[in-house]
Amino acid sequence: PGAMCPALAKEAPREEGEGGSRRSGCGLLVTAGLGGTLVALYAVATPFVTPALRKVCLPFVPATAAQIQNVLKMLENRSGSLVDIGSGDGRIVIAAAKKGFQAVGYELNPWLVWYSRYRAWRDGVHQNTKFYISDLWKVSFSHYRNVVVFGVPQMMPQLEKKLEEELECNARIVACRFPFPCWIPDHTAGEGIDTVWAYDLKHSRACETKSLEITPKTES
């Protein structure tokens, strides 16, 4: 027995090495498969979570059912054109179209725009909706009477100024999650993250100034 021990000792590492090689090969295959799956998931998911509006960090966060209902509540008794700034997956636009609005969404993320178009077609409102791949800072919203905004605090001051300069006095702006810094809301609905604020632009100082400028010309 003592003579056999060295031989066994020499053979054992070779057997373990062969088994270890097999296990190592399987491990590499599993790792490669898992890595490929993660890469595929990243490729699909990244466009949905990366910032859609590059000027500020505005990731895609889907509107909740309560937020959508609160937005629609702020749009009761109104009609005409509607735009959703940073429309994401199109939930607000589609919900507004179902209420009779000619609704448009602007979104910089092409994946979300394509998905929104598909959802509008699936829900039967594609004829009353349009989705554009565009940066909000490069678009004029002057011909819209109803504006919905899902923003972040960093963008609200500049967006407030942009909308005040572009929109007509009969426009209503509905802000979700975060209010505008200077405007005083005319109406609010919801609570917590589902709160929305509605602003009638006719009550802003800019519109009052426009009216005063127009009055002398009308009288003469």
Side-chain angles (χ1 to χ4, degrees):
M4 293 177 62
C5 286
L8 291 172
K10 290 180 180 178
E11 292 177 4
R14 285 198 298 270
E15 292 176 358
E16 290 176 0
E18 291 173 359
S21 177
R22 293 192 192 97
R23 288 193 296 270
S24 178
C26 291
L28 288 173
L29 289 174
V30 171
T31 302
L34 180 60
T37 301
L38 290 175
V39 169
L41 288 173
Y42 179 81
V44 173
T46 294
F48 288 88
V49 297
T50 50
L53 303 173
R54 308 299 182 191
K55 199 164 187 175
V56 294
C57 183
L58 184 57
F60 167 55
V61 180
T64 66
Q67 285 172 338
I68 295 173
Q69 290 305 312
N70 290 334
V71 169
L72 295 178
K73 183 177 180 181
M74 295 294 97
L75 296 172
E76 288 179 356
N77 301 319
R78 293 188 62 82
S79 59
S81 59
L82 176 143
V83 62
D84 184 7
I85 299 176
S87 54
D89 63 359
R91 300 183 186 202
I92 294 293
V93 173
I94 292 170
K98 291 179 179 179
K99 294 293 183 179
F101 289 93
Q102 291 293 323
V104 175
Y106 284 93
E107 170 64 47
L108 191 57
N109 189 318
W111 291 76
L112 291 173
V113 170
W114 296 330
Y115 182 60
S116 299
R117 291 170 179 167
Y118 162 73
R119 291 189 63 181
W121 171 82
R122 183 191 65 185
D123 289 5
V125 293
H126 59 283
Q127 294 183 340
N128 295 328
T129 61
K130 291 181 180 179
F131 296 94
Y132 297 105
I133 304 171
S134 183
D135 187 330
L136 75 87
W137 307 108
K138 298 178 181 179
V139 177
S140 172
F141 302 106
S142 58
H143 56 287
Y144 294 104
R145 293 186 63 243
N146 305 283
V147 179
V148 180
V149 180
F150 275 79
V152 293
Q154 298 92 320
M155 69 180 282
M156 300 306 272
Q158 189 171 353
L159 183 58
E160 181 181 73
K161 181 179 179 181
K162 174 179 172 64
L163 294 178
E164 191 170 66
E165 291 175 349
E166 294 179 355
L167 297 178
E168 296 293 334
C169 292
N170 62 352
R172 171 170 289 188
I173 305 101
V174 180
C176 307
R177 292 199 179 97
F178 298 99
F180 286 99
C182 297
W183 291 341
I184 298 174
D186 295 278
H187 311 279
T188 60
E191 57 184 14
I193 63 170
D194 295 324
T195 303
V196 301
W197 298 264
Y199 305 86
D200 290 328
L201 203 57
K202 64 184 179 182
H203 296 152
S204 73
R205 181 176 298 177
C207 285
E208 291 175 358
T209 303
K210 289 179 183 178
S211 297
L212 290 174
E213 291 175 353
I214 293 173
T215 302
K217 296 180 182 179
T218 303
E219 290 178 352
S220 60

